[in-house]
Amino acid sequence: MEGFGPGKVILLGEHAVVYGFPALAGPLSIGVRAVGERLPPGRAASLNMPRGLRGRSRALLAEAFGAAVRESGAGGVRVRLESDLPTGMGLGSSAAVSVACARVLLKAARLDSEAAASEPAAKDVARVAWEMERVFHGTPSGLDHSCSAMGELIHFRRRPSQKVPSVTPVSSPKPLNVLVWLLGERPSTKETVAALRARQMAWPERYGRIFREIGRLADEGRRAVEAGELAWLGDLMNMNHGLLSGLGLSSAAIDEAVHRLRAAGALGAKLTGSGGDGGAVIGLFEDPGPVAKKLGRQGVDCFVSQLAGPTLRGRV
Ligand code: PMV
């Protein structure tokens, strides 16, 4: 039994999504694979801990896996993880782990082998993965694991009064290609979200205005993607980066990467994920390949990925 959870990038709307505004996120071609081996009946589900994982991260993964086992009702399976996704960069690695585990556990919960071979429904995967994400992050918006469970570009919104978010797949008539630039270590999402929360609480009206505007950019971005208007989408990304910067979520290194991508011809570039300092920056290009090669020769750690478009079929 196997399950794949793709990583993700947020095209528009990070942080504002925590306050109930819309966001747009797409799956990466890289991610986490969970492989499950059936155990004799009566044995509990267990996870082989990734080598090198120590201390608090190890304890959190064990606790999260236990929560997913309870939610899925799975028993009699040993799960191991394989990943080609950089961790702690804002590429949704914990959500990818959660979705990969959820897929395998849901398969293991089915009794006959034929049913175990078919893919579980995305909404069930999201429900089980959410239990893991809550252990990893406390109160995440749910954007990351929803995108990974759907395996396609999504428009996401969870209003404060809503328990279940509204998640809508967004189709693109054109290939949506991004270059992902990995800057390195960054503060944890929890810390960055908490520091922003403190500023928002001090000046709720002004911060609320910016969040609302970011949500409007995400709504507009959905229309730009559906119309295949990449220049329009790129402009929205540039503006979103400016607003994230205004919220105090950028840094000199992030801004330098954004400006180098724009100078290299990006239609739009912005930080992706929680930001702060380090993490990842994305650039939207019709064909990011040559730029990625050139930046790679200059020592930049980067890769390209297609997030949506006609040639992209479900990755999960
Ligand atoms: O953990 P990251 O870097 O993928 O950030 C997640 C996006 C936030 O909007 C900052 C947090 C959230 O829960 O949506």
Side-chain angles (χ1 to χ4, degrees), residues 8 10 13-18 88-94 137 139-144 156 186 188-190 192-193 272-275:
K8 68 91 201 32
I10 300 175
E14 49 273 270
H15 287 287
V17 71
V18 173
M89 294 270 182
L91 302 181
S93 57
S94 72
H137 293 298
T139 50
S141 65
L143 172 63
D144 287 18
F156 176 99
R186 57 163 205 176
S188 74
T189 298
K190 217 175 193 166
T192 308
V193 168
T272 187
S274 62

Side-chain angles (χ1 to χ4, degrees), residues 23-25 146-147 150 152-157 165-171 222 226:
L24 216 56
S146 299
C147 179
M150 299 283 287
E152 56 190 323
L153 186 71
I154 57 165
H155 176 275
F156 176 99
R157 180 166 200 182
S166 60
V167 182
T168 318
V170 181
S171 60
R222 172 189 184 169
E226 286 171 344

